[in-house]
Amino acid sequence: MGLDAEIEAGVRWIEKNLHFDIDGEVQVFETNIRMVGGLLSGWLATRNRHLLDLARDLTDRLLPAFLKSPTGIPYRFVNLRTGAVRDATTFPAELGTYISEFGTLSRAVSDPRYYDVAKKAAKACFDRRSAIDLVADTIDAETGKWLSRRATIGPPSDSYFEYLYGGWRLFADADFRRWYDVHAGAILKHQAERVDGRLWFAQVDFETGARLDRRQSELASFYAGLLAKAGDHVHASDYLASWTDVQARFDVLPEGFDYGTFQATRASNELRPEFADSCLALYVHGGGEPYRRLARIHYENMKRTSRARFGYTIIDDITARPMRQGDLCPGYWWAEQMKYYWLAFSATPRFDYRKNYLSTEGKVLVGLK
Ligand code: DMJ
């Protein structure tokens, strides 16, 4: 953004204050996408070695979650000082959203261990796919047994698919491309359906493909962008068009939505980035101007409905008039949609619009100029 003095001040603060020798536990997935990713992107932007050293130190402290697991599927929580781990019941997104950060770290420090644990975890999930190539959404990291039958593109599976593509895009690792393609094909075959001409992805039984429900989490709208990045522009634009109709109906997207009834199933809005993420992805991957216009509607509606006295907030009820605001501004609002809007609208010379990669939390890992 050209905020050179601000990043300088931020780096100084980090040098003075940030360390990870803390006797407390963190959620491995969130710590990776927010903090490891943030430090790595900061290092790529500034080439300040301290940021890379911190990213490595933090990742070393996350490693016990992977290394103590008999399957290679990470435990969900780890104590940063003692390496004690907890919670073997986990989900595709929480076990499979590491390769972009861990692989970037491995490349930067010439140590393959980080790449290897991230790949092993993703493979452990892929290898347990059903005969129709779908994964369920809950698994035991110790036994490797599925604990649910529900296949979804939304949470808690979403970014597992995103990082299969990421492993290919960032590291040209053909295994990741194959894993991504196998799942993407199965999702189109067993989960996609058209209702009133609109494309949606149902929750289905991961072994039979039988439909379980037509609820759609707002987070699933990221999948349009992922399809575009992976080269499937037809389904990408169709799926974003479905969400565009939801945006037109409600002004801002509800957390939960049933495409069978076209009604909100959860009327809150957690100030989320996925729609803007997909707009940016379709814009930079050949879709052009119409997707900037969509992002603009998202931006203007957010400003109108989420503006609060000291910033921006989630909305507790988007169906009330006026909408009933909550009192929280999530970290991803800064890391993601504000960045997606900026990149879509600024034409900044500091971003390579042709060759780039943003992590699931919006950290720029390729494309900084
Ligand atoms: C973000 O933290 C990331 O995009 C993550 O992959 C899932 N969802 C949240 C924001 O909704």
Side-chain angles (χ1 to χ4, degrees):
M1 296 181 81
L3 300 174
D4 295 347
E6 284 82 354
I7 198 169
E8 191 64 29
V11 170
R12 291 289 90 80
W13 185 91
I14 287 171
E15 284 174 340
K16 234 171 105 189
N17 299 293
L18 188 60
H19 72 91
F20 298 114
D21 183 25
I22 296 164
D23 185 10
E25 59 177 22
V26 296
Q27 193 175 348
V28 179
F29 160 76
E30 299 287 3
T31 305
N32 176 53
I33 66 173
R34 293 162 194 250
M35 302 191 72
V36 176
L39 287 164
L40 287 171
S41 186
W43 170 67
L44 289 163
T46 62
R47 293 290 164 177
N48 180 304
R49 177 77 204 193
H50 189 71
L51 301 183
L52 179 60
D53 292 344
L54 275 178
R56 184 177 201 173
D57 176 55
L58 179 55
T59 308
D60 284 337
R61 295 172 189 276
L62 300 181
L63 281 187
F66 296 80
L67 300 177
K68 289 185 177 176
S69 161
T71 60
I73 294 172
Y75 291 88
R76 293 185 64 219
F77 294 89
V78 65
N79 182 299
L80 288 178
R81 182 175 294 165
T82 66
V85 294
R86 155 172 95 77
D87 213 341
T89 300
T90 189
F91 319 99
E94 293 204 31
L95 70 87
T97 310
Y98 301 96
I99 194 64
S100 302
E101 293 82 5
F102 283 26
T104 299
L105 178 61
S106 273
R107 192 146 69 180
V109 300
S110 304
D111 180 344
R113 284 181 308 137
Y114 310 107
Y115 189 96
D116 291 347
V117 295
K119 184 171 179 181
K120 185 176 174 189
K123 182 173 188 299
C125 186
F126 180 77
D127 285 348
R128 288 169 174 80
R129 71 195 182 282
S130 69
I132 60 170
D133 293 325
L134 295 175
V135 291
D137 69 2
T138 313
I139 195 166
D140 187 316
E142 287 169 352
T143 64
K145 297 258 182 288
W146 292 112
L147 300 174
S148 88
R149 304 191 57 81
R150 176 181 179 268
T152 182
I153 61 160
S157 297
D158 44 5
S159 51
Y160 162 67
F161 303 113
E162 186 179 348
Y163 273 36
L164 295 182
Y165 169 75
W168 159 250
R169 166 68 188 81
L170 285 174
F171 310 110
D173 185 325
D175 289 338
F176 279 104
R177 179 78 222 199
R178 189 168 53 79
W179 302 344
Y180 173 82
D181 286 340
V182 166
H183 283 322
I187 288 166
L188 274 179
K189 186 163 173 200
H190 299 290
Q191 292 182 250
E193 65 168 333
R194 301 253 172 198
V195 176
D196 296 331
R198 298 186 190 95
L199 174 65
W200 297 106
F201 294 92
Q203 275 61 242
V204 303
D205 183 289
F206 82 120
E207 285 184 317
T208 67
R211 189 172 68 229
L212 299 178
D213 69 74
R214 287 173 155 169
R215 282 194 294 273
Q216 208 87 144
S217 161
E218 185 280 344
L219 285 92
S221 60
F222 92 100
Y223 200 67
L226 179 57
L227 288 167
K229 290 172 200 169
D232 182 352
H233 298 285
V234 173
H235 292 111
S237 57
D238 278 7
Y239 192 43
L240 193 57
S242 303
W243 282 105
T244 301
D245 289 348
V246 184
Q247 174 166 270
R249 159 87 175 74
F250 293 99
D251 288 350
V252 294
L253 299 179
E255 278 294 290
F257 172 75
D258 188 312
Y259 61 80
T261 60
F262 219 74
Q263 297 296 320
T265 53
R266 274 175 295 150
S268 59
N269 170 282
E270 300 289 329
L271 201 54
R272 290 199 187 270
E274 287 76 15
F275 186 89
D277 187 358
S278 282
C279 290
L280 177 66
L282 273 92
Y283 168 63
V284 301
H285 287 86
E289 206 48 33
Y291 295 102
R292 284 217 302 188
R293 281 201 290 274
L294 277 188
R296 177 177 174 169
I297 295 168
H298 191 263
Y299 172 67
E300 287 178 341
N301 289 358
M302 179 207 67
K303 282 218 301 189
R304 191 161 43 78
T305 57
S306 278
R307 189 82 176 99
R309 193 158 162 223
F310 298 113
Y312 285 82
T313 177
I314 61 171
I315 300 171
D316 283 345
D317 188 351
I318 64 157
T319 61
R321 289 293 177 273
M323 292 185 189
R324 186 156 48 79
Q325 291 190 335
D327 186 9
L328 176 76
C329 185
Y332 51 68
W333 181 81
W334 302 91
E336 294 200 65
Q337 69 264 46
M338 296 311 289
K339 190 180 292 149
Y340 304 144
Y341 299 143
W342 171 258
L343 292 176
F345 303 136
S346 67
T348 172
R350 291 192 164 181
F351 183 68
D352 186 337
Y353 285 85
R354 280 175 303 118
K355 190 167 178 283
N356 56 71
Y357 178 87
L358 275 67
S359 77
T360 194
E361 194 70 5
K363 313 299 183 190
V364 184
L365 297 179
V366 173
L368 291 162
K369 285 163 90 179

